[in-house]
Amino acid sequence: MMQVKENNIDAGRYTTNSKSIEFGPWHISYDVSCILPSVCSTKVVCERDDDQFCQFCIYCKELEIPHFPDMVFPKNILTLNYGTSAKISFEPLHALKRVANTVRAIEVSCSEAWLEARPDAARKKKTFDWTFSTDYKGTLSENIVVEPTEETINFDVLKQKDQILFYHDLTLFEDELHDHGISKLSVKIRVMPSYWYLLLRYFLRVDDVLVRSNETRMFHMLNTDYVLREYTAKESQAKDLHMPTSQMKEADDVIPFLAVKEKVTEKIVFKEPNL
Ligand SMILES: [Zn+2]
């Protein structure tokens, strides 16, 4: 049973657009939302401190980094429910929790300019990874086990021309590094008649310094009871790439040339819930 549903929910401050599809035991859905405000939007409510907070205050409470990316889409969330017992989701808040609040030496070259442009971040005198680099691989619920595997994603299957039942490319956050490049996390999903496939991509380009990508691919073949998850971290110094910055604008143009730092494929297996 495959059915695409569309909902327009006007939730007050956030106009959320959601779409979903039923695919075998899966209920796959995404929400599209507004950008995270840069200040508290409901001071009276948030100051009561009784567990009701606006999105901005939730981010301030949950994250240790003193500054958030220019554009965070707090409710841009992709969710894959497996029956009623397990769930895989992709959420900007969880991804930002994995940003280090220490800065690495390699990136210091334009950190001064960045901090000058953001007096509030500088004032907090807290160094952190202002590139918002994250090794987030998605959020797994209970009743899921991650196992090592020798199996790899069959990319030939992905190349077959088939009808696309469901597709979306969702931006979780993006920052232009004060015109020094780009830092972006996005997730794309496509559901085909016999499988679903997704790519979560963190892409960083610090102009004339370095290019980095952390990509998580997930693949599920219909009528199997597991998902393959392949994580690939890549990074190269700009000087080692021998290509002009103008050719590094699009992630797809430069990622194939980056040096692989880490690559691991795992199997996501669903357990029967404990009743
Ligand atoms: Zn607030």
Side-chain angles (χ1 to χ4, degrees), residues 18-245:
S18 35
K19 264 194 177 181
S20 63
I21 185 170
E22 307 295 328
F23 183 70
W26 296 90
H27 175 80
I28 302 171
S29 64
Y30 66 81
D31 287 324
V32 180
S33 71
C34 307
I35 207 161
L36 183 74
S38 54
V39 289
C40 173
S41 53
T42 53
K43 263 197 169 9
V44 180
V45 176
C46 296
E47 280 172 0
R48 282 207 306 257
D49 207 12
D50 61 357
D51 261 5
Q52 293 229 34
F53 301 102
C54 71
Q55 286 294 325
F56 175 76
C57 288
I58 291 171
Y59 270 65
C60 291
K61 280 175 185 299
E62 297 281 325
L63 299 177
E64 285 178 21
I65 49 173
H67 209 287
F68 311 141
D70 285 336
M71 289 182 281
V72 179
F73 300 91
K75 298 211 172 161
N76 279 19
I77 295 172
L78 173 67
T79 308
L80 299 98
N81 282 293
Y82 185 76
T84 52
S85 60
K87 182 174 100 169
I88 302 169
S89 65
F90 298 87
E91 311 188 24
L93 182 64
H94 296 170
L96 287 170
K97 277 189 181 173
R98 301 192 62 85
V99 172
N101 55 0
T102 53
V103 70
R104 272 160 284 179
I106 185 80
E107 290 146 7
V108 169
S109 59
C110 58
S111 144
E112 291 295 311
W114 190 92
L115 286 170
E116 264 169 44
R118 285 170 167 174
D120 53 334
R123 187 165 40 81
K124 288 180 184 167
K125 291 259 191 288
K126 212 175 172 187
T127 53
F128 74 108
D129 183 358
W130 53 275
T131 67
F132 305 107
S133 290
T134 177
D135 62 354
Y136 180 60
K137 302 173 185 72
T139 305
L140 305 180
S141 72
E142 52 186 5
N143 302 320
I144 288 179
V145 237
V146 179
E147 295 174 351
T149 183
E150 295 294 310
E151 198 179 334
T152 54
I153 296 174
N154 183 345
F155 287 96
D156 289 335
V157 170
L158 301 182
K159 283 176 200 149
Q160 287 165 13
K161 294 262 179 286
D162 249 326
Q163 189 200 354
I164 298 172
L165 304 175
F166 188 81
Y167 173 84
H168 201 72
D169 186 349
L170 205 59
T171 299
L172 306 192
F173 68 76
E174 187 170 346
D175 192 287
E176 293 189 338
L177 309 177
H178 186 56
D179 291 334
H180 282 79
I182 192 159
S183 164
K184 181 178 175 176
L185 182 73
S186 60
V187 61
K188 316 193 241 203
I189 177 149
R190 86 181 140 100
V191 180
M192 308 297 277
S194 60
Y195 65 87
W196 62 253
Y197 173 70
L198 66 83
L199 168 60
L200 171 76
R201 175 186 275 168
Y202 168 77
F203 177 66
L204 170 71
R205 188 191 70 244
V206 181
D207 287 338
D208 308 317
V209 182
L210 90 159
V211 185
R212 173 184 293 157
S213 65
N214 294 333
E215 295 179 308
T216 300
R217 292 176 167 83
M218 285 192 193
F219 176 81
H220 170 76
M221 184 64 93
L222 196 63
N223 299 325
T224 64
D225 58 359
Y226 62 93
V227 170
L228 287 174
R229 177 172 74 177
E230 182 195 277
Y231 175 74
T232 314
K234 293 180 169 187
E235 181 176 317
S236 286
Q237 300 297 305
K239 63 175 167 41
D240 297 332
L241 286 166
H242 308 291
M243 59 167 86
T245 304

